[in-house]
Amino acid sequence: MADLAIRQDACELDFLALGALVHRLDPGIIPFRKAKSFDIHVSGGEYNVAANLADCFGQKTGVATAMVDYGIGELVQARVREMGVKPFYKWFKHDGVRGPNIATVYSDRGLGVRPPVVFYNRSNEAGAMLKPGDFNWSEIFANGVKWFHSGGIFAALSETTSQVIIEGMKAAKAAGAITSFDLNYRAKLWASVGGDAKGQETIAKIVEHVDCLIGNEEDLQKGLGIEGQDVEHKSKLDPDSFFQLIDKATKKFPNVKLVATTLREVHTTNRHDWAAVLWLNGQKFVSPTMALDVVDRIGGGDGFCAGLIYGLLNGKTPEQALRLGWAHGALLTTFPGDTTMAKLPEVEALAKGGSARVQR
């Protein structure tokens, strides 16, 4: 762990995320074309990690993001407060008609042989308008931040969002924070700003400033431009090909000290096999594999990320940190919504091999 050099002094924030917030409309198992009502979840690939770390793991976390002065913005702010995350908002004024908006994600849950269906309205999104200079990083980092995190979805929103990430990463490194990046490679998003070549070029510029990478085999191949095996026709639970990819990734980016991912074999929408792997300072760690009964799969990877980071921030061994991430990500799929409803003792019990027997 010495290689990661996590700050041990008192800091105002244990963890700071940079990314766009969205609201997700969830009609449950009903397809949207037949839906008459839906739940509203507040989410964001980067924010979810901060929310999980605060609500379940008791860490001091923040999020730097865009906020809009209209009703949806007020709803989102209330959920951020509820999860205990400190906001650093760049404000945008809504024109009452077209925006700017907080993006909408439409996502039913599917059931059994019917997969979940996800689509978006990111038109005129405030988060995509964020640009360098929008956040006062020296002020944000002034009282200490241990870990700074962003991701590939935010990087792909516009020409300027990746520049904000690099600006934030540089400020984080200067302030002594660990930096992490969730590759979250979305080809549809990158297609709108220049395609795969542009995506790889942009991500490479970001990863130069990154200590820790989160991403599956496909993320590493497409996001970093690394050749690997055909992920579609290979067992999703085989860690060996993933570790081979990591070797290539860390040769290309020798500054990266940690790479981690979940491994998920989807049998039906509600039955998955679930494992996770961690590469840290050249050492390899693999979790057990468990059979998951899934209520809502969205956010499971962010749940893994939060548990892993909690373990590393709090001096756990790499294997313990991996297991905490694996256990928390698994629990997160048993709740509706994108963020945690778990309690730390539940996560710790599952990480140690706890069972699902009734607690009396």
Side-chain angles (χ1 to χ4, degrees):
M1 284 313 301
D3 288 21
L4 264 187
I6 295 170
R7 289 179 65 166
Q8 301 302 312
D9 56 326
C11 289
E12 182 184 21
L13 294 177
D14 299 307
F15 180 91
L16 174 66
L18 166 65
L21 285 165
V22 302
H23 65 299
R24 173 180 157 218
L25 308 185
D26 170 17
I29 63 169
I30 309 296
F32 255 96
R33 65 181 178 275
K34 296 289 186 180
K36 294 181 171 64
S37 62
F38 44 74
D39 292 326
I40 303 174
H41 309 297
V42 168
S43 180
E46 302 80 19
Y47 160 75
N48 292 345
V49 184
N52 296 337
L53 277 164
D55 189 75
C56 176
F57 295 100
Q59 303 296 281
K60 297 173 291 185
T61 73
V63 62
T65 190
M67 185 49 61
V68 184
D69 64 346
Y70 71 146
I72 299 297
E74 290 167 13
L75 180 153
V76 171
Q77 292 167 60
R79 300 287 179 87
V80 172
R81 283 195 299 271
E82 185 182 310
M83 294 304 284
V85 178
K86 180 176 182 176
F88 300 90
Y89 292 139
K90 166 65 178 177
W91 285 91
F92 291 83
K93 187 165 184 58
H94 195 272
D95 68 5
V97 184
R98 292 183 178 84
N101 301 300
I102 289 176
T104 311
V105 180
Y106 305 85
S107 175
D108 70 46
R109 291 186 211 163
L111 187 71
V113 295
R114 177 165 54 86
V117 176
V118 182
F119 54 101
Y120 303 85
N121 181 357
R122 303 200 86 123
S123 177
N124 204 6
E125 178 183 2
M129 299 173 188
L130 290 171
K131 62 187 186 306
D134 280 347
F135 298 105
N136 186 336
W137 295 116
S138 58
E139 192 175 282
I140 292 171
F141 284 103
N143 294 317
V145 175
K146 292 186 178 180
W147 195 297
F148 179 75
H149 178 73
S150 196
I153 292 175
F154 180 58
L157 291 185
S158 71
E159 289 283 349
T160 58
T161 51
S162 61
Q163 296 167 18
V164 181
I165 294 174
I166 292 169
E167 181 188 59
M169 291 281 178
K170 286 178 176 176
K173 297 296 280 183
I178 298 295
T179 55
S180 61
F181 187 74
D182 187 335
L183 285 161
N184 259 338
Y185 195 85
R186 300 289 186 272
K188 282 182 186 174
L189 283 176
W190 285 111
S192 67
V193 290
D196 285 349
K198 177 69 172 177
Q200 288 169 13
E201 176 193 333
T202 304
I203 288 171
K205 289 176 183 171
I206 294 169
V207 175
E208 286 174 20
H209 308 283
V210 167
D211 298 312
C212 309
L213 272 182
I214 311 294
N216 60 29
E217 282 187 78
E218 190 173 3
D219 289 335
L220 287 172
Q221 287 182 32
K222 292 187 175 176
L224 301 181
I226 293 169
E227 285 191 16
Q229 299 192 47
D230 180 358
V231 293
E232 292 300 316
H233 299 98
K234 190 161 169 46
S235 169
K236 304 290 192 294
L237 292 171
D238 177 12
D240 290 338
S241 59
F242 185 73
F243 284 130
Q244 287 169 18
L245 268 180
I246 290 172
D247 288 339
K248 293 178 183 177
T250 51
K251 281 189 178 75
K252 190 169 183 178
F253 299 99
N255 53 293
V256 172
K257 305 172 184 72
L258 178 155
V259 188
T261 193
T262 58
L263 303 175
R264 193 193 303 241
E265 189 88 66
V266 177
H267 300 290
T268 72
T269 293
N270 308 99
R271 174 50 66 105
H272 301 178
D273 290 332
W274 170 267
V277 296
L278 168 65
W279 179 95
L280 179 62
N281 300 333
Q283 291 186 286
K284 301 171 184 177
F285 304 90
V286 182
S287 78
T289 299
M290 75 168 96
L292 279 187
D293 293 304
V294 174
V295 170
D296 185 345
R297 70 170 285 168
I298 306 242
D302 300 329
F304 163 73
C305 194
L308 174 71
I309 290 171
Y310 164 77
L312 296 172
L313 282 171
N314 289 275
K316 309 294 186 188
T317 66
E319 186 169 25
Q320 287 171 331
L322 175 65
R323 278 189 171 237
L324 286 164
W326 166 76
H328 183 252
L331 284 170
L332 204 140
T333 68
T334 70
F335 307 119
D338 305 38
T339 53
T340 192
M341 296 183 187
K343 290 171 22 179
L344 181 54
E346 296 170 340
V347 178
E348 291 172 334
L350 184 56
K352 289 173 184 166
S355 74
R357 291 183 62 171
V358 178
Q359 296 182 9
R360 301 189 189 277

